[in-house]
Amino acid sequence: MIKLTAVNSLIIVFLMLILATILYFPKIYFRNNIYYISKDINKLYAHYISLQEENKFLAQQLEDMKFKNQIMDSLLFNPLEIKK
């Protein structure tokens, strides 16, 4: 059996500390990576949402321009007759 002297106790405590660090280091590492990856995903998702809204806005503008163009073409090629 091991006699517990000050030096032996100190060695056992340091070994337990090293073992705990080795066991918990991967958990801490993966949690940090998951946090930063989810942060990047949220940033990209917000950018995606804003691009979707911009796409809707641009599609509406294009539709308005097409409508205006059709009205202008119909007025140029088929002018309204003014009766006197």
Side-chain angles (χ1 to χ4, degrees):
M1 186 152 176
I2 300 173
K3 288 186 178 182
L4 289 179
T5 62
V7 175
N8 286 345
S9 298
L10 197 58
I11 290 173
I12 291 172
V13 168
F14 279 127
L15 288 176
M16 290 175 67
L17 182 66
I18 290 170
L19 180 65
T21 304
I22 289 171
L23 290 177
Y24 283 106
F25 181 74
K27 181 179 178 182
I28 294 168
Y29 176 76
F30 287 128
R31 281 195 180 193
N32 281 341
N33 277 347
I34 289 170
Y35 170 74
Y36 286 114
I37 289 172
S38 67
K39 199 172 164 184
D40 290 341
I41 288 171
N42 287 335
K43 184 174 146 185
L44 289 173
Y45 184 70
H47 190 64
Y48 170 72
I49 295 296
S50 69
L51 287 176
Q52 277 185 329
E53 292 298 320
E54 186 178 358
N55 188 25
K56 288 178 188 176
F57 177 72
L58 290 174
Q60 183 62 40
Q61 279 186 332
L62 180 64
E63 194 66 34
D64 292 344
M65 291 174 133
K66 284 180 182 178
F67 180 73
K68 240 186 224 182
N69 191 19
Q70 286 178 350
I71 298 294
M72 293 299 277
D73 283 348
S74 67
L75 289 176
L76 288 175
F77 293 122
N78 298 324
L80 296 174
E81 294 180 18
I82 301 175
K83 293 181 182 179
K84 290 184 181 182

